[in-house]
Amino acid sequence: MQIKNDKPRIVTLDSLRGIAALCVVLGHLTGGTPLADAIYPTPLHLLRTGHEAVIFFFMLSGYVLVYQYGSDENFKYGKFLVSRFFRLYIPYIAAVFFGLLLFNLCDHSAAPTSLFISQLWHTPVN
């Protein structure tokens, strides 16, 4: 179920959303590593500002949705919700179940051997 929109995409905003997503990924990859401490006092720290990038990403996504559908007199909110549900939540639910499947396939009797994991997790996974 596609909702028709006649407005062109704003490529610059798509690029900014991509940069924000990249900052989130870099923040996750470098979190808890010596690299994170090394780049903290430098301008490169902006490349791993995940929290701020998430807020910016959501604000920009909200703006893009209003830009696309805000002035459409034929816009139906119910149809939009159904479209968003199937576009976002079905893959999300599939990813959660896939993660749970992988979690259940892991050997839970082995103690974490990584210093990174043992510093972050002080209680067992339940």
Side-chain angles (χ1 to χ4, degrees):
M1 181 180 301
Q2 270 306 45
I3 296 176
K4 180 182 177 246
N5 57 16
D6 297 330
K7 293 186 180 180
R9 292 181 69 96
I10 303 174
V11 178
T12 306
L13 297 182
D14 288 341
S15 301
L16 289 174
R17 287 172 58 192
I19 291 170
L22 181 65
C23 289
V24 171
V25 170
L26 288 174
H28 283 293
L29 287 176
T30 60
T33 64
L35 179 63
D37 295 332
I39 67 171
Y40 184 75
T42 70
L44 290 175
H45 175 67
L46 292 174
L47 293 177
R48 59 171 308 272
T49 53
H51 179 73
E52 295 85 351
V54 167
I55 293 170
F56 179 71
F57 183 86
F58 281 125
M59 287 177 38
L60 200 53
S61 296
Y63 172 77
V64 168
L65 286 174
V66 170
Y67 169 76
Q68 289 290 327
Y69 305 114
S71 62
D72 185 8
E73 61 275 351
N74 296 324
F75 177 74
K76 303 286 186 228
Y77 190 66
K79 190 175 181 180
F80 173 77
L81 283 179
V82 169
S83 170
R84 295 298 281 186
F85 177 82
F86 285 107
R87 181 170 176 225
L88 298 174
Y89 287 105
I90 299 299
Y92 168 73
I93 291 168
V96 167
F97 280 121
F98 183 68
L100 288 172
L101 175 70
L102 290 178
F103 176 77
N104 287 326
L105 291 176
C106 290
D107 181 20
H108 300 294
S109 63
T113 57
S114 169
L115 181 63
F116 173 73
I117 291 175
S118 63
Q119 286 178 347
L120 289 178
W121 287 332
H122 302 288
T123 59
V125 178
N126 56 24

